[in-house]
Amino acid sequence: MILKLNKFGKFKNQSFKISDGITLFYGENESGKTTIFDSLMLLFSENKRVSAFSKQIKLRYGNDIDISSEPKIPDNLKLHPQSYNNLYAIRQSEIIFEMSDSKKDSKDWESEIKKKLFSSDIDIGKMVSEIKAEYSGKAQNSIHYKLNILANEKNEIDKTLNNLYNRIKNSVNKKDNLKELKENLFLHENILKEKIEEQKKLYSLMKSKKESETKIIKLNLLKQINNFNKADDFLGKNIIFKNDYSNEINGRTKKIEELKTNMSYLNGKIEALKKSADEKEKRKTDCESVKIRIENALKNLNKIEESIQKNKKIPKIIFFIIIAFISSLLALYFKNPLWLLIILPAIPFMFIKGCLINENKNSKFVKDILESLPELNIEETDILILKDILNKELAKIEIMMQENNDEETKNYNLELENNLKEFENENNALARLFDKLKVKNKEEYYEIKYNYDLLLKEAEENYKKLIAEAKRLGFQNIDLLETDCVRILKELDDKGVNPNDYNEMEIKKIENDLKDLEAEINILKEEINKIKNNISYIEGELNNSDNIHAEIINFESKLARIKEEIINLNKRRKALKLLEEMLFSINKKNDNIFQSLSKDAKVLYNHITGKKLSDEGIIMSGFDKDKIVVADKQNEMRNVELLSSATKDAVYIAMRLSILTKIHQAGRLIMLDDPFITFDNNRTKEALSFIKEYSKNYNIPV
């Protein structure tokens, strides 16, 4: 066959010979090998179905296409264009198997191939599943479900018919029952009327009691409002007491008291100084006399002290040596060392301070000095202490003689004058404050302030309560609340409502009586409704007794129809079981075809790869990929998609060639476009060797 590419892609007016065996096209990438394959696919596609495929070719190569062949390709060799894409044209990028078991997913070209393989493209397995679902499934359209529904309807109709038959039998007794029910209804309705009248009286009494309670509440509320208004008026008039003047009053009062105390103290000082000035001259004369006597006494004391210093005590060490010498002589004389013990009492004497002969003791001289100074009132003592006392007294007398109180008196008078001015200022300020507050004294202020604060607190609490009550009743302020209280009280007065009629215990008793009465009324109403329903039901049955026969005829006809439907459904179930058996046998033949395809694919796979798979090395149970499994090196069956790329490509090539062999024994065009690119060198040699052998029956451009 001569392929003429007058205008197709990069080719213009070029021809290629396609031999009956293998035709090899060799060239670099983008040299036009795939273009030649696309032209062959276009020529071998059916004319009536070429439109969709032709659009794809035009998108790739343009609209201006001119190709032909010599001789012309007969129509019986042409196929659906997708058949070439998925079976006859084996390209490296399209080796993956593209068929499916599902009729829904199946395309025209798949249906065409399935018809050639199985004489039909119908999914028999799916049909068998649908048949099983219809006669034994639980779906609403299944025979099993419909039979259950019909059986339930039949049971219901049987029950209804039995009931109708019983109604015919019992219609005589129902007239007596109807009469008894009407008498019972009359009795219950009379009792209900009495109870309702009693309930109305209790409600009327409760209403009057509630009105008394309302009047008490409104009176108390109005009283509370009046008290609040009075308090508010008082607080407004005495708004000055809202501020606290306690600190100012206490401060000024305290200052006045301090000034009073200080002035009393200053007056006392001034009086003392005046009295002291009168006695000053007299005391000065007396002091001079005493001073002279003290000075003479001190002179005499100094003389006595000098004489005592001359008569100092015997040194302690000399006294100790004398004692030691005497005790030694006595020990030698009596030849007894115990005499040395005399020394022992002298040892403590060495450590006693001032072991003197107390010449300083009260003597007649001291007594004479004390008698000469009776003003000093000094008790008898030794000379040294007396000397110290006299020196102190002498200093006092000299100070007293030098005192000058005139300046001090002047200072005290000036301070007293300043205190008096400050006292008057504080008194005037406090008086002005009391005038401002309109009180006589601070006690009156504290009393009014205490009452004001207490009343203010009560007024604030009352305001909160009153405004809350006003809002609860839907009023914006207390004035509107007061107006409403007055209105309600006027209405209650017009009705002659007496607040003394209110009695809480009596109201509770009425409420309990009403609850009990309401429960009794409800029970009576329920009983009356039941009796009325029974009467209506019996009257209806008696009125419709003539229609019972018509109902029986209607239900009996429905029952006959249901029985007939049950018989027909059982017949259909038997027919579906027979059809299932027939389809099962047909499906078994299809399984045999898949087994044959699997065996052919295993042989082709062994030729392509040079391997030796067992008879069960490839198992194909359907066209979906998950139904194709292959034995791996460990002879474990694995899904084809889990194998290596080269092994998976080899399996898919073998599967497609096995299907082609089943469909067409010889004479077809099979195109191979780099199908072995994932194979290694050894596997490629094996594959080419097989293709060479396979080309005896097919035209194979490579």
Side-chain angles (χ1 to χ4, degrees):
M1 182 184 75
I2 302 300
L3 173 65
K4 293 182 179 181
L5 300 179
N6 301 322
K7 196 171 185 180
F8 192 77
K10 62 173 62 180
F11 296 109
K12 292 182 180 179
N13 300 321
Q14 290 191 14
S15 300
F16 299 95
K17 182 179 180 182
I18 308 299
S19 63
D20 294 337
I22 295 177
T23 302
L24 180 64
F25 291 92
Y26 178 80
E28 296 178 353
N29 292 338
E30 305 295 331
S31 61
K33 301 186 296 298
T34 301
T35 304
I36 295 170
F37 275 42
D38 286 342
S39 67
L40 287 170
M41 285 177 60
L42 187 60
L43 286 171
F44 276 85
S45 296
E46 292 178 341
N47 291 332
K48 64 179 180 180
R49 296 180 179 176
V50 78
S51 58
F53 179 68
S54 178
K55 287 180 182 179
Q56 295 177 6
I57 294 297
K58 287 178 181 179
L59 285 173
R60 189 180 298 175
Y61 299 106
N63 293 325
D64 193 7
I65 294 173
D66 184 7
I67 60 173
S68 60
S69 66
E70 291 183 1
K72 190 177 179 180
I73 299 169
D75 289 340
N76 66 331
L77 291 180
K78 291 185 178 183
L79 296 171
H80 192 289
Q82 291 300 327
S83 297
Y84 275 100
N85 260 343
N86 293 280
L87 284 175
Y88 294 91
I90 302 174
R91 305 185 182 191
Q92 189 277 326
S93 61
E94 298 172 355
I95 287 176
I96 296 172
F97 198 58
E98 291 294 342
M99 288 184 70
S100 171
D101 290 333
S102 173
K103 173 68 175 176
K104 182 180 179 181
D105 298 333
S106 182
K107 305 169 187 66
D108 292 341
W109 66 271
E110 292 180 27
S111 299
E112 181 182 278
I113 292 168
K114 288 177 183 178
K115 287 176 183 177
K116 291 178 180 178
L117 284 171
F118 308 115
S119 300
S120 173
D121 66 339
I122 298 171
D123 191 346
I124 295 173
K126 184 177 180 182
M127 286 183 64
V128 171
S129 299
E130 290 174 353
I131 289 167
K132 278 186 178 180
E134 184 177 354
Y135 78 77
S136 64
K138 295 181 179 180
Q140 291 185 3
N141 60 350
S142 68
I143 293 172
H144 177 74
Y145 180 84
K146 290 177 181 178
L147 285 172
N148 287 336
I149 295 295
L150 290 171
N152 291 333
E153 288 181 5
K154 179 179 175 296
N155 292 333
E156 290 296 324
I157 291 172
D158 286 336
K159 290 178 182 178
T160 305
L161 285 170
N162 290 330
N163 188 26
L164 290 171
Y165 296 147
N166 291 329
R167 284 171 64 185
I168 292 293
K169 293 177 183 179
N170 297 329
S171 60
V172 177
N173 298 326
K174 286 180 180 177
K175 291 181 180 179
D176 296 333
N177 291 337
L178 182 61
K179 183 179 179 182
E180 185 180 346
L181 285 171
K182 286 183 177 180
E183 291 175 354
N184 198 9
L185 177 63
F186 179 75
L187 179 63
H188 278 76
E189 285 178 343
N190 287 334
I191 295 171
L192 180 62
K193 286 179 182 178
E194 293 175 0
K195 295 291 183 183
I196 290 172
E197 287 297 323
E198 186 180 351
Q199 186 186 42
K200 287 180 179 178
K201 290 178 182 178
L202 286 174
Y203 273 127
S204 177
L205 182 60
M206 173 64 79
K207 185 180 178 182
S208 65
K209 298 292 182 184
K210 286 290 184 181
E211 286 177 344
S212 298
E213 182 184 11
T214 303
K215 190 167 186 179
I216 291 171
I217 292 169
K218 294 301 178 181
L219 285 170
N220 290 334
L221 186 59
L222 190 61
K223 183 179 178 182
Q224 189 177 356
I225 292 170
N226 290 333
N227 290 337
F228 171 75
N229 289 333
K230 288 178 183 178
D232 188 54
D233 184 57
F234 174 80
L235 293 171
K237 290 178 180 178
N238 296 279
I239 190 69
I240 193 169
F241 286 95
K242 191 171 183 179
N243 298 323
D244 191 1
Y245 295 93
S246 301
N247 291 335
E248 185 178 354
I249 291 171
N250 289 335
R252 294 191 181 281
T253 304
K254 184 179 178 182
K255 184 68 176 176
I256 289 169
E257 292 299 326
E258 288 176 355
L259 290 170
K260 281 183 179 179
T261 303
N262 197 32
M263 286 190 295
S264 297
Y265 171 77
L266 292 173
N267 284 324
K269 279 282 188 181
I270 292 168
E271 289 176 4
L273 289 172
K274 286 179 179 179
K275 187 177 180 181
S276 175
D278 295 336
E279 295 176 353
K280 183 177 180 182
E281 291 299 324
K282 181 181 177 183
R283 197 167 59 242
K284 186 175 181 181
T285 305
D286 295 338
C287 287
E288 286 178 356
S289 174
V290 173
K291 180 182 177 185
I292 293 168
R293 281 180 280 158
I294 290 172
E295 287 174 351
N296 293 330
L298 286 172
K299 288 179 182 178
N300 294 328
L301 285 174
N302 288 332
K303 291 178 181 178
I304 293 169
E305 190 176 0
E306 288 174 2
S307 66
I308 290 170
Q309 290 295 331
K310 291 178 182 179
N311 297 320
K312 281 287 185 178
K313 63 179 181 177
I314 301 171
K316 293 178 182 179
I317 190 63
I318 296 171
F319 175 75
F320 182 74
I321 291 169
I322 293 168
I323 296 298
F325 178 73
I326 293 170
S327 61
S328 299
L329 289 176
L330 290 172
L332 289 173
Y333 181 78
F334 293 105
K335 298 180 180 179
N336 187 352
L338 292 175
W339 287 97
L340 294 172
L341 295 175
I342 296 172
I343 301 171
L344 294 176
I347 292 172
F349 176 77
M350 297 294 293
F351 301 97
I352 295 173
K353 292 182 179 179
C355 187
L356 301 172
I357 301 169
N358 195 358
E359 300 94 345
N360 297 333
K361 286 295 180 179
N362 291 336
S363 63
K364 185 177 179 298
F365 181 73
V366 172
K367 287 180 180 181
D368 293 338
I369 291 173
L370 293 176
E371 288 175 358
S372 66
L373 296 166
E375 298 91 344
L376 301 179
N377 196 18
I378 301 171
E379 295 181 357
E380 285 190 24
T381 182
D382 59 30
I383 291 172
L384 294 175
I385 294 172
L386 180 61
K387 183 180 178 182
D388 184 57
I389 291 171
L390 291 176
N391 282 322
K392 289 179 180 179
E393 292 296 329
L394 182 62
K396 287 180 182 180
I397 289 168
E398 288 176 352
I399 290 169
M400 289 174 67
M401 290 175 70
Q402 294 174 359
E403 282 182 352
N404 186 1
N405 293 332
D406 293 341
E407 187 67 28
E408 189 176 0
T409 302
K410 183 180 178 182
N411 291 334
Y412 281 138
N413 281 323
L414 182 61
E415 186 178 354
L416 180 62
E417 185 179 350
N418 292 333
N419 280 359
L420 187 59
K421 287 180 181 179
E422 190 175 356
F423 175 78
E424 288 176 356
N425 292 334
E426 289 295 329
N427 253 337
N428 292 334
L430 186 61
R432 285 194 299 273
L433 181 60
F434 284 155
D435 290 340
K436 178 182 176 182
L437 296 173
K438 297 179 182 179
V439 295
K440 296 178 181 178
N441 48 46
K442 71 174 184 178
E443 287 75 14
E444 185 179 356
Y445 167 76
Y446 283 128
E447 183 180 356
I448 295 174
K449 175 64 175 172
Y450 173 78
N451 293 330
Y452 182 90
D453 291 342
L454 188 63
L455 190 61
L456 179 63
K457 186 177 179 182
E458 290 177 357
E460 288 174 349
E461 291 176 356
N462 284 337
Y463 177 78
K464 290 178 182 178
K465 291 177 182 177
L466 290 171
I467 203 68
E469 181 67 16
K471 288 182 178 179
R472 187 182 69 82
L473 296 174
F475 300 115
Q476 295 181 350
N477 52 50
I478 297 172
D479 292 338
L480 294 174
L481 179 65
E482 183 180 9
T483 304
D484 183 67
C485 284
V486 172
R487 179 185 61 77
I488 293 172
L489 287 170
K490 187 177 181 306
E491 291 176 358
L492 294 174
D493 287 338
D494 293 342
K495 290 181 181 180
V497 175
N498 187 359
N500 296 325
D501 292 342
Y502 174 72
N503 188 318
E504 188 176 358
M505 296 298 294
E506 189 175 352
I507 287 177
K508 286 184 178 179
K509 184 179 182 304
I510 294 171
E511 287 176 347
N512 292 330
D513 291 343
L514 280 170
K515 286 180 182 178
D516 295 339
L517 192 59
E518 189 174 357
E520 291 178 12
I521 289 171
N522 289 332
I523 292 169
L524 282 169
K525 286 180 178 179
E526 288 177 4
E527 290 293 326
I528 289 170
N529 287 332
K530 287 179 182 178
I531 294 170
K532 285 182 177 180
N533 290 334
N534 289 333
I535 290 172
S536 298
Y537 178 75
I538 293 172
E539 286 178 344
E541 285 189 340
L542 291 172
N543 292 333
N544 297 327
S545 59
D546 296 336
N547 298 326
I548 293 175
H549 294 287
E551 288 183 24
I552 290 172
I553 293 168
N554 185 30
F555 280 112
E556 284 178 346
S557 64
K558 284 184 180 179
L559 184 63
R561 180 179 55 79
I562 288 170
K563 287 179 178 179
E564 187 179 354
E565 285 184 15
I566 290 171
I567 291 168
N568 291 333
L569 286 172
N570 284 324
K571 287 179 180 179
R572 178 169 174 78
R573 182 162 61 179
K574 288 179 182 179
L576 288 173
K577 284 185 178 180
L578 290 172
L579 180 60
E580 181 190 7
E581 292 174 1
M582 292 170 62
L583 290 173
F584 183 76
S585 62
I586 294 170
N587 196 38
K588 194 172 181 182
K589 292 179 182 178
N590 290 346
D591 291 341
N592 292 335
I593 290 172
F594 278 119
Q595 289 177 6
S596 176
L597 285 173
S598 299
K599 288 180 180 179
D600 292 347
K602 184 264 300 183
V603 174
L604 293 170
Y605 177 82
N606 287 342
H607 282 303
I608 292 169
T609 61
K611 291 186 177 182
K612 292 183 180 180
L613 286 178
S614 62
D615 290 341
E616 301 293 330
I618 296 177
I619 297 175
M620 182 180 184
S621 58
F623 290 116
D624 292 327
K625 293 175 184 178
D626 59 350
K627 294 182 180 179
I628 303 173
V629 292
V630 182
D632 60 10
K633 291 182 179 180
Q634 289 75 29
N635 208 27
E636 293 182 2
M637 302 307 291
R638 299 176 64 190
N639 183 270
V640 67
E641 289 296 313
L642 301 177
L643 302 174
S644 66
S645 298
T647 303
K648 181 168 61 174
D649 289 350
V651 171
Y652 283 145
I653 292 170
M655 292 301 304
R656 291 163 73 169
L657 291 176
S658 68
I659 294 171
L660 289 175
T661 304
K662 291 286 184 188
I663 296 172
H664 301 110
Q665 294 294 331
R668 283 289 175 183
L669 182 72
I670 301 174
M671 294 177 285
L672 302 179
D673 186 1
D674 286 340
F676 312 130
I677 198 165
T678 58
F679 293 4
D680 58 20
N681 290 335
N682 291 331
R683 184 171 291 186
T684 302
K685 288 178 182 178
E686 292 289 341
L688 289 173
S689 176
F690 162 71
I691 292 300
K692 185 177 180 183
E693 184 68 23
Y694 198 72
S695 66
K696 292 177 181 179
N697 297 321
Y698 300 94
N699 293 345
I700 305 178
V702 180

